[in-house]
DNA sequence: GTAGGGTTAG
């Protein structure tokens, strides 16, 4: 995979502590074209460097804000702009510094665009910018998400970048998410051996792992231990605990924990209240909005009202929040779209896409598509797909799933298969394939299945074989009279290998 | 100014 190749690419480190923004006069990246260079004094050059550094910081802050907002495309655009301004002198100019590359790569990784994140790091190395501990941590995070812990270890041991608290914390978080709490404790011991002091961020994932397993007693014990060690649990740690208490219907204890917050030296945030309220909503105990409610709280309640079919109440809340000066976001909007669909107001829901001040995203289109198919409005669905593509909104796995399910239900297996083949251009999704195969096999559409594996753009691997055989067997095709159909498909698949 | 733990939409 590309990830291991890139991990290897990070191994030989050029100059471990040197970032491009530092004043290393190695002459590798002169900021200005020669002509300008000739008649600028050292003082002026210094000034230009400072200006560039400020510019990089500003761009970096902007990228971070955009990433927080979930607008990754815009992050990519800002980064490109940063590179462009460097090249205005004519000969390319200095590359962005390591922090900017980190921000870019992290935003991409967080958005699930890991291939692009790795490409960003490759580009960084190619421009002679040395990675730092944060770059390494971002890579470790990506490895951990794919459960490639061996690669994560290899990176730590061979990169030459000294692991920091963040490195260990990232690894611990990844292990905890994968349910490997014992290994996480191992890493904690290891860092203590290396005299690296843990932080709240190091312990919190372990608290969370306990909470997820319903081991609340152990979670609380660990939090007590943190206090003893002088590493006080903070609002995030308590949020984890409160969520677990909500899931367990232990709302009295939530109140208790909140009451004690002032003496325990932490302050509940809007996130805390959002978790609490979400817990109450899920148990059907509250739709009352308190004074501290922000946009997320409104979204939660509106969404819960939508589940209950009270879509008129949603409109009331929308006007309510606008009156209070709380700005609705894309999610608010999507909840509104969904509630309008639930209420059968399709044309109104559709018209919202073109309304000003709202950028429809892939979720918006998915919501509408789902309902169009659900109500058998195939022409509308087709038209919407065109609009979506015209507006440069890329379909995701959910989109393809909705389309495929919708078409199959109408008996349009051929079209559904065509969409699956189209989805391959953005990579194979096993989820999408599972959905399609299920429908085709149960409908006995052997010809279409053959078509999936007959194309030149799809070479089945072990998982695909496994899935196919299982699906056929579950549908009863492993009977001797029908087995030849599965054989036919397997033949086609083997031809491709 | 980058990384590492927590909330809401299909």
């Amino acid at each position: 995979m590309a990830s291991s190749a890139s991990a290897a690419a990070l191994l030989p480190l050029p100059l471990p502590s040197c970032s491009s923004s530092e004043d290393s006069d190695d002459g590798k990246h002169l900021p200005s074209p020669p002509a300008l260079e000739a008649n600028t004094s050292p003082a002026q050059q210094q000034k230009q460097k400072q200006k560039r550094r400020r510019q990089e910081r500003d761009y970096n802050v902007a990228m971070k804000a955009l990433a927080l907002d979930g607008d990754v495309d815009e992050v990519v655009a800002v980064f490109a702009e940063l590179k462009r301004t460097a090249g205005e002198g004519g000969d390319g100019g200095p590359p962005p510094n390591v922090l900017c590359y980190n921000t870019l790569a992290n935003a991409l990784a967080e958005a699930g665009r890991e291939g692009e994140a790795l490409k960003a790091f490759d580009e960084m190395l190619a421009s002679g910018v040395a990675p730092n501990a944060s770059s390494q941590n971002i890579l470790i995070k990506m490895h951990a998400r794919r459960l490639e812990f061996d690669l994560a270890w290899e990176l730590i041991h061979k990169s030459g970048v000294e692991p920091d608290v963040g490195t260990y914390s990232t690894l611990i978080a990844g292990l905890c998410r994968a349910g490997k709490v014992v290994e996480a404790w191992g890493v904690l011991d290891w860092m203590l051996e290396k005299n690296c002091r843990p932080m709240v961020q190091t312990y919190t994932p372990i608290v969370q792992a306990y909470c997820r397993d319903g081991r609340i007693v152990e979670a609380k014990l660990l939090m007590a231990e943190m206090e003893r060690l002088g590493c006080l649990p903070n609002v995030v740690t308590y949020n984890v605990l409160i969520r677990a208490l909500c899931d367990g219907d232990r709302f009295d204890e939530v109140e208790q924990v909140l009451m004690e917050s002032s003496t325990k030296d932490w302050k509940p945030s809007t996130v805390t209240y959002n978790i609490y309220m979400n817990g109450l909503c899920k148990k059907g105990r509250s739709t009352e909005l308190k004074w501290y409610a922000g946009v997320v709280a409104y979204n939660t309640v509106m969404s819960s009202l939508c589940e209950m079919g009270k879509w008129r109440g949603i409109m009331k809340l929308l006007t309510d929040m606008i009156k209070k000066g709380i700005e609705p976001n894309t999610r608010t909007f999507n909840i509104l779209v969904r509630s309008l669909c639930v209420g059968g107001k399709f044309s109104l829901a559709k018209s919202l896409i073109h309304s000003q001040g709202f950028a429809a995203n892939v979720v918006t289109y998915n919501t509408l598509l789902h309902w169009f198919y659900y109500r058998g409005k195939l022409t509308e669905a087709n038209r919407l797909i065109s609009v979506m593509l015209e507006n440069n909104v890329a379909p995701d796995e959910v989109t393809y799933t909705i389309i495929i399910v919708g078409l199959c239900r109408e008996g349009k297996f051929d079209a559904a298969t065509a969409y699956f083949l189209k989805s391959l251009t953005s990579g194979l999704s096993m989820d999408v394939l599972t959905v399609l195969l299920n429908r085709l096999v149960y409908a006995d559409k052997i010809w279409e299945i053959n078509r999936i594996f007959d194309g030149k753009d799809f070479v089945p691997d072990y998982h695909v074989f496994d899935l196919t055989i299982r699906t056929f067997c579950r549908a009863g095709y492993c009977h001797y009279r029908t087995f030849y159909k599965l054989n036919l498909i397997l033949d086609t698949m083997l031809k491709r290998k």
Side-chain angles (χ1 to χ4, degrees):
Chain A
M1 283 305 289
S3 66
S4 43
S6 266
L10 263 193
L11 294 182
L13 291 179
L15 292 161
S17 66
C18 158
S19 93
S20 72
S21 68
E22 282 168 26
D23 295 356
S24 55
D25 284 337
D26 54 13
K28 253 197 295 188
H29 301 298
L30 291 174
S32 329
L36 202 63
E37 190 77 16
N39 32 11
T40 43
S41 65
Q44 278 173 313
Q45 282 183 36
Q46 192 61 30
K47 245 189 178 159
Q48 278 197 342
K49 266 188 191 168
Q50 274 176 6
K51 187 181 159 206
R52 176 65 178 167
R53 210 174 305 166
R54 255 202 313 275
Q55 192 184 29
E56 284 185 315
R57 197 191 53 208
D58 291 346
Y59 273 77
N60 202 17
V61 170
M63 283 162 67
K64 176 90 200 276
L66 288 163
L68 223 74
D69 221 40
D71 202 342
V72 192
D73 287 326
E74 204 50 39
V75 175
V76 174
V78 169
F79 186 83
E81 171 72 13
L82 178 63
K83 272 205 298 195
R84 199 186 60 74
T85 55
E88 265 168 358
D91 67 343
N97 66 22
V98 60
L99 294 100
C100 297
Y101 270 109
N102 286 349
T103 309
L104 171 69
N106 190 53
L108 288 166
E110 286 297 315
R113 292 158 66 165
E114 308 200 329
E116 290 166 81
L118 293 170
K119 264 212 285 212
F121 277 136
D122 285 342
E123 184 193 301
M124 177 174 94
L125 293 172
S127 344
V129 178
N132 62 13
S134 292
S135 329
Q136 174 166 274
N137 296 348
I138 296 167
L139 266 178
I140 288 174
K141 183 172 65 178
M142 289 198 278
H143 285 316
R145 290 220 178 127
R146 313 169 116 195
L147 306 178
E148 300 166 342
F149 291 106
D150 45 341
L151 290 176
W153 285 114
E154 192 181 311
L155 192 64
I156 292 174
H157 285 120
K158 297 193 189 159
S159 71
V161 175
E162 196 55 35
D164 62 1
V165 210
T167 314
Y168 297 111
S169 304
T170 308
L171 197 54
I172 287 174
L175 286 166
C176 286
R177 200 172 349 192
K180 299 173 185 286
V181 189
V182 180
E183 287 88 338
W185 276 110
V187 176
L188 192 65
D189 287 337
W190 182 42
M191 71 185 283
L192 289 172
E193 260 172 49
K194 291 204 150 200
N195 280 325
C196 184
R197 263 178 72 98
M199 298 169 53
V200 200
Q201 287 93 327
T202 324
Y203 287 109
T204 303
I206 306 179
V207 172
Q208 189 180 30
Y210 283 143
C211 284
R212 223 180 10 223
D213 280 354
R215 296 157 69 179
I216 294 182
V217 177
E218 277 150 296
K220 282 185 167 176
L221 278 174
L222 181 54
M223 286 169 73
E225 176 70 4
M226 288 168 70
E227 281 183 49
R228 202 182 63 76
L229 292 170
C231 180
L232 290 185
N234 65 8
V235 57
V236 178
T237 323
Y238 279 101
N239 285 348
V240 167
L241 178 67
I242 288 175
R243 188 185 154 92
L245 292 172
C246 284
D247 285 343
D249 259 339
R250 297 157 68 164
F251 294 108
D252 291 343
E253 279 180 70
V254 176
E255 285 293 341
Q256 175 93 20
V257 170
L258 288 174
M259 292 265 285
E260 288 169 1
S261 64
S262 47
T263 55
K264 294 261 184 183
D265 211 31
W266 68 280
K267 204 168 164 287
S269 67
T270 48
V271 176
T272 315
Y273 293 117
N274 289 336
I275 293 168
Y276 187 19
M277 213 177 44
N278 188 37
L280 289 169
C281 276
K282 268 199 282 194
K283 309 287 179 186
R285 294 176 49 161
S286 154
T287 51
E288 193 101 318
L289 278 159
K290 300 272 197 279
W291 60 269
Y292 47 74
V295 60
V296 175
Y298 270 93
N299 288 347
T300 304
V301 175
M302 285 167 80
S303 165
S304 141
L305 286 174
C306 187
E307 285 310 310
M308 297 189 279
K310 298 183 177 176
W311 58 275
R312 295 185 72 87
I314 294 170
M315 296 304 246
K316 215 194 276 173
L317 280 181
L318 184 71
T319 49
D320 185 44
M321 70 189 285
I322 293 171
K323 260 190 241 163
K324 278 208 223 162
I326 300 168
E327 207 175 325
N329 62 18
T330 308
R331 288 185 185 208
T332 319
F333 215 83
N334 288 336
I335 294 163
L336 189 65
V337 168
R338 184 170 126 83
S339 65
L340 287 170
C341 288
V342 172
K345 312 270 183 207
F346 290 109
S347 46
L348 186 53
K350 204 175 58 177
S351 68
L352 284 178
I353 283 192
H354 306 290
S355 75
Q356 281 220 324
F358 169 67
N361 66 7
V362 63
V363 179
T364 323
Y365 287 100
N366 289 348
T367 308
L368 278 168
L369 274 176
H370 170 86
W371 283 91
F372 282 155
Y373 283 116
Y374 186 74
R375 293 296 176 90
K377 297 169 182 284
L378 291 201
T379 341
E380 288 269 34
N382 278 333
R383 211 176 299 155
L384 192 63
I385 294 171
S386 313
V387 173
M388 182 176 180
L389 297 177
E390 275 165 28
N391 289 334
N392 286 320
V393 175
D396 65 5
E397 292 184 23
V398 181
T399 319
Y400 284 113
T401 306
I402 290 168
I403 295 175
I404 286 168
V405 169
L407 289 172
C408 286
R409 197 167 39 206
E410 296 288 331
K412 304 205 178 295
F413 296 100
D414 197 27
T417 307
Y419 268 108
F420 171 76
L421 293 174
K422 216 180 282 182
S423 81
L424 289 174
T425 52
S426 50
L428 168 67
S429 153
M430 285 304 276
D431 291 341
V432 177
L433 178 61
T434 304
V435 166
L436 179 62
L437 261 183
N438 245 315
R439 310 275 156 160
L440 292 181
V441 169
Y442 276 95
D444 198 28
K445 296 290 169 187
I446 303 302
W447 184 82
E448 277 84 356
I449 300 171
N450 204 49
R451 201 178 139 211
I452 293 179
F453 300 113
D454 213 16
K456 61 175 179 328
D457 33 24
F458 186 28
V459 180
D461 65 358
Y462 158 78
H463 298 286
V464 174
F465 270 92
D466 191 60
L467 175 71
T468 309
I469 294 167
R470 276 174 200 280
T471 311
F472 269 90
C473 286
R474 221 171 332 116
Y477 279 90
C478 293
H479 190 273
Y480 70 98
R481 292 180 63 172
T482 45
F483 195 75
Y484 75 95
K485 292 185 180 178
L486 174 55
N487 254 336
L488 203 84
I489 301 299
L490 290 176
D491 274 346
T492 307
M493 290 169 80
L494 285 167
K495 252 190 289 169
R496 298 248 27 96
K497 276 216 81 113

